[in-house]
């Protein structure tokens, strides 16, 4: 009998190069994912992550920012008091706070980064009230051991230590 075209000596069709597997695996591609499948999964993961972050993120960025600005201004008042023989005070209200001193040679002290003695809160932030006065050693004479809470979800509390005046 003559040999069939494409068949080996035993009459079985020879495997072609590049094909894996035996009978029943013809036409099946090798394992792995296509680029389109990988991109689709990454896009879906990105959407899910964005929704999760938006849902579970705390809405207190404005309160955190105002608390950090307040701590900076409180340290400024403390440093100015240490360089002066007169006390320096920050008086906190519900929507702002102001810097003052009893030094007669300084008419209106200016807060750093502000155009005057008062800083008003941004983004609808409010706070509890209080007065913090520092003496020439930088120690709080009033308000030490107290705290100010800035409204947010959750709120941000700044505590002023009694002995050192450190704001944390």
């Amino acid at each position: 009998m003559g040999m069939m075209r494409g068949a080996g000596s035993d009459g079985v069709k020879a495997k072609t190069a590049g094909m894996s597997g035996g009978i029943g695996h013809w036409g099946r591609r090798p394992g792995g994912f296509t680029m389109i499948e990988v991109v689709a999964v990454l896009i879906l993961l990105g959407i899910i992550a964005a929704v999760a972050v938006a849902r579970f993120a705390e809405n207190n960025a404005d309160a955190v920012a105002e608390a950090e600005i307040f701590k900076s201004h409180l340290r400024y008042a403390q440093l100015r008091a240490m360089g002066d023989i007169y006390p320096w005070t920050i008086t906190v209200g519900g929507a702002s706070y102001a810097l003052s001193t009893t030094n007669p040679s300084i008419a209106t002290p200016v807060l750093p980064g502000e155009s005057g003695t008062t800083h008003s809160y941004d983004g609808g932030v409010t706070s509890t009230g209080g007065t913090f006065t520092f003496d020439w050693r930088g120690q709080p004479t009033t308000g030490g051991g107290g705290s100010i809470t800035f409204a947010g979800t959750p709120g941000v509390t700044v505590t002023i230590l009694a002995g050192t005046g450190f704001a944390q």
Side-chain angles (χ1 to χ4, degrees):
M1 193 164 154
M3 297 232 340
M4 293 176 33
R5 186 171 180 205
S9 60
D10 60 353
V12 178
K13 191 170 188 176
K15 288 184 185 177
T16 58
M19 297 298 281
S20 64
I23 300 174
H25 293 288
W26 298 100
R28 188 180 285 183
R29 64 183 173 159
F33 299 104
T34 66
M35 185 61 74
I36 292 174
E37 292 169 332
V38 171
V39 169
V41 168
L42 289 175
I43 289 173
L44 286 175
L45 285 174
I47 291 170
I48 291 170
V51 169
V53 166
R55 175 172 283 177
F56 297 113
E58 296 176 352
N59 297 325
N60 68 343
D62 290 331
V64 169
E66 289 298 338
E68 291 301 318
I69 293 169
F70 173 71
K71 287 194 284 188
S72 172
H73 287 158
L74 200 66
R75 288 184 190 116
Y76 175 76
Q78 186 180 30
L79 288 172
R80 289 297 304 259
M82 290 177 6
D84 199 346
I85 60 171
Y86 296 96
W88 285 70
T89 303
I90 289 198
T91 305
V92 182
S96 66
Y97 55 85
L99 176 69
S100 63
T101 183
T102 57
N103 188 336
S105 65
I106 300 175
T108 38
V110 177
L111 285 166
E114 305 291 332
S115 59
T117 62
T118 304
H119 173 79
S120 298
Y121 306 140
D122 290 331
V125 174
T126 59
S127 70
T128 56
T131 300
F132 302 94
T133 302
F134 297 97
D135 64 11
W136 62 273
R137 293 175 302 214
Q139 295 177 329
T141 57
T142 57
S147 62
I148 298 291
T149 302
F150 293 87
T153 307
V156 179
T157 301
V158 176
T159 303
I160 294 81
L161 300 180
T164 62
F166 180 72
Q168 56 183 7

